[in-house]
Amino acid sequence: WLNGEPPEAQSLKALTDMIAGKRALVLDIGGNCGAFAVPLARAAGAGSRVIAFEPNPVMLGRLGENVRRNDLGHVVRIEGCALGAEEGEAKLMLRAGNYGQASLRGVAAGKVDGAVCVPVRPLTPYLKGADDYDVCVMKIDVEGFEDSVLNPWLDQAGEADMPDAILMETEHAKEWDTDLIGRITAAGYSAAFEGEGNTLFARDAGRLN
């Protein structure tokens, strides 16, 4: 931000190029302040929908304000919840000095700045009807909780519910309980971009070809 560039600029550009001008469904899991949701909503074509998930109350407020300032309320739908295996609630640990690094997995010792109880919902219902759009992409950055979000979805995902691309933070892969990358690859995705701590998986049989 200090240099006039958003963080993860290459990752953002890769997704932007995929959806530019198209009627897109975008799921931004770990919406933070809208660093991905806002530019993707601006780039997408008419009739698009961006669903941004953010459980941290502080960042949720910032996300809503940035959507409002950019006049994108007709495109961006904000879900003030975390995603997980099933409907319920969980304790979100807050990190001192960086609200964007709150995590359901916990925060390093000495960095904890309290906790908040947040609602949790499963991912699957939000991908229903994905095939009605020209393109569907997902971005997920949930501080090491990615496997807990995606594995339950992969267990029951139908062909019509598969996004064309998944941009996932993979630098926390060592914290996962399962081989999530292996599961995504087995579901028909291959790595199209790696960098900035992320991997962009594109579906081999998707609509991006």
Side-chain angles (χ1 to χ4, degrees):
W1 296 118
L2 293 174
N3 295 323
E5 292 285 340
E8 303 175 86
Q10 295 178 56
S11 301
L12 176 58
K13 184 180 186 303
L15 282 188
T16 301
D17 289 346
M18 287 181 175
I19 69 165
K22 298 178 182 176
R23 184 173 180 270
L25 174 62
V26 178
L27 275 67
D28 182 1
I29 305 170
N32 201 280
C33 65
F36 274 78
V38 168
L40 290 176
R42 292 171 64 91
S48 295
R49 169 67 70 215
V50 175
I51 307 177
F53 302 86
E54 178 52 56
N56 186 331
V58 174
M59 299 312 297
L60 183 62
R62 295 178 184 180
L63 170 61
E65 177 65 9
N66 285 331
V67 169
R68 184 193 68 79
R69 285 178 181 239
N70 285 273
D71 194 25
L72 291 169
H74 62 296
V75 180
V76 181
R77 169 179 158 191
I78 297 174
E79 293 283 340
C81 68
L83 294 178
E86 57 189 17
E87 189 126 2
E89 58 184 38
K91 183 169 70 173
L92 181 71
M93 303 297 294
L94 306 178
R95 187 182 189 278
N98 192 330
Y99 288 113
Q101 290 185 343
S103 175
L104 293 176
R105 281 216 186 275
V107 173
K111 296 291 186 178
V112 179
D113 186 24
V116 60
C117 187
V118 299
V120 178
R121 297 177 189 137
L123 170 62
T124 302
Y126 293 99
L127 278 161
K128 294 298 181 185
D131 59 338
D132 293 336
Y133 291 83
D134 295 336
V135 62
C136 173
V137 300
M138 177 194 301
K139 167 254 172 184
I140 178 166
D141 175 354
V142 287
E143 301 301 316
F145 204 66
E146 290 80 11
D147 59 331
S148 297
V149 175
L150 295 184
N151 276 320
W153 162 67
L154 286 167
D155 288 340
Q156 53 186 299
E159 186 73 16
D161 306 326
M162 290 283 193
D164 298 289
I166 301 171
L167 177 69
M168 181 170 62
E169 184 178 49
T170 48
E171 68 177 2
H172 296 297
K174 62 183 180 298
E175 300 174 23
W176 299 339
D177 296 327
T178 59
D179 178 14
L180 179 57
I181 293 175
R183 289 206 67 186
I184 289 175
T185 302
Y189 292 88
S190 56
F193 164 82
E194 291 185 68
E196 303 171 326
N198 302 320
T199 303
L200 177 64
F201 297 95
R203 194 164 180 234
D204 297 336
R207 295 165 289 181
L208 299 174
N209 297 326

